[in-house]
Amino acid sequence: MTEPEYSKVTVRIYGQEYTVASAESKERILQIADHVDEMMRGLSAKGAGGSPAALAMLAAVNISAEFFSGQDAQRDALREQEQLEKEIAHYQQLWEEAKRTHLQYKEDAKEVQEQKDSLQERLNAKSIEMDNMIHKAEERDGVIARLETDLEQTNGRLRAATEQSDEEEGKARELAEKLKEIEGNYFELQMENVRMKGDLERYRGGQ
């Protein structure tokens, strides 16, 4: 490991010159010395301490307090930074999940739209099929109506023919009875004729 390079810088603190050897840059060393000088002069102006050594001790204490306060502030800043990084990571995760959810929603919406379109096509096909069935049913209703009309007309003619047949059958029976009566009369006339001929023959024989 390379050893750090030390530089010597002469500084003035509270009216005294000091030679400081440090690995810090000259500008940084002068900045620190100015801060210590201001701290001691400030304490002296407030009546603190008395001798330069006492002021230097008080300045060291104050500077140490500033150092530890800075460390605490740094730790707080680090914790805050870590918390912010966690929150950023959390929100990034939420954002990624939201994007995935949005993409899934888009895919689901597309699938639902496709299903809707398919159902609409099937519905349209069913509507056309139903219209055809209604048209055929109307045609059948027309055929049935015509058949009912023809049936009524046929039943009317059948009833008329039946009535006419009954009337003719009655006339036939009446003619048959009259024929039977005529035949009976004819037979009786024949018998009477035979008797008359017999009587005539007997009458002629008696002369």
Side-chain angles (χ1 to χ4, degrees):
M1 179 180 295
T2 304
E3 292 292 333
E5 295 182 0
Y6 288 90
S7 58
K8 293 182 179 181
V9 180
T10 299
V11 298
R12 180 176 289 274
I13 301 174
Y14 205 66
Q16 298 292 323
E17 289 186 354
Y18 300 93
T19 300
V20 178
S22 176
E24 297 287 345
S25 65
K26 180 180 179 179
E27 290 77 10
R28 188 67 171 174
I29 294 171
L30 291 174
Q31 183 181 10
I32 294 171
D34 290 340
H35 181 65
V36 174
D37 183 70
E38 290 177 0
M39 180 70 69
M40 291 178 67
R41 293 184 184 280
L43 291 171
S44 177
K46 293 178 181 179
S51 64
L55 289 173
M57 180 62 67
L58 290 175
V61 172
N62 288 333
I63 291 171
S64 298
E66 289 178 350
F67 172 74
F68 287 115
S69 295
Q71 282 190 329
D72 292 340
Q74 185 179 9
R75 283 193 294 270
D76 292 340
L78 287 174
R79 284 195 294 270
E80 185 177 356
Q81 181 180 357
E82 291 176 356
Q83 182 63 30
L84 289 174
E85 289 176 351
K86 289 180 181 179
E87 291 180 0
I88 290 173
H90 175 67
Y91 286 116
Q92 284 180 341
Q93 182 179 0
L94 292 178
W95 171 248
E96 294 297 329
E97 291 178 355
K99 287 197 298 184
R100 288 194 297 269
T101 302
H102 178 67
L103 293 175
Q104 184 64 40
Y105 170 77
K106 288 177 65 177
E107 292 178 359
D108 293 343
K110 181 180 178 182
E111 183 178 355
V112 170
Q113 184 63 40
E114 290 176 353
Q115 292 178 356
K116 180 182 177 182
D117 294 339
S118 176
L119 290 174
Q120 186 64 44
E121 291 178 357
R122 291 172 59 186
L123 179 61
N124 293 337
K126 289 294 183 181
S127 296
I128 294 173
E129 182 180 355
M130 184 172 293
D131 291 340
N132 293 332
M133 292 176 65
I134 292 173
H135 180 67
K136 290 181 180 179
E138 291 175 350
E139 290 181 348
R140 286 196 297 270
D141 290 340
V143 172
I144 291 173
R146 289 193 296 273
L147 289 175
E148 288 178 350
T149 301
D150 293 341
L151 180 61
E152 290 178 359
Q153 293 177 354
T154 302
N155 286 331
R157 290 195 295 270
L158 180 61
R159 286 192 297 271
T162 301
E163 292 175 357
Q164 184 176 3
S165 177
D166 293 340
E167 183 179 355
E168 291 178 353
E169 186 177 354
K171 290 181 179 180
R173 286 196 299 271
E174 184 178 352
L175 290 174
E177 291 177 358
K178 288 183 178 181
L179 180 60
K180 185 177 181 180
E181 182 180 355
I182 291 171
E183 287 178 350
N185 293 333
Y186 176 74
F187 180 75
E188 289 179 357
L189 288 173
Q190 283 184 333
M191 293 299 294
E192 183 67 24
N193 189 25
V194 170
R195 287 194 298 270
M196 288 179 64
K197 286 181 178 181
D199 292 341
L200 181 59
E201 289 294 331
R202 285 192 298 270
Y203 177 76
R204 288 177 178 178
Q207 289 181 350

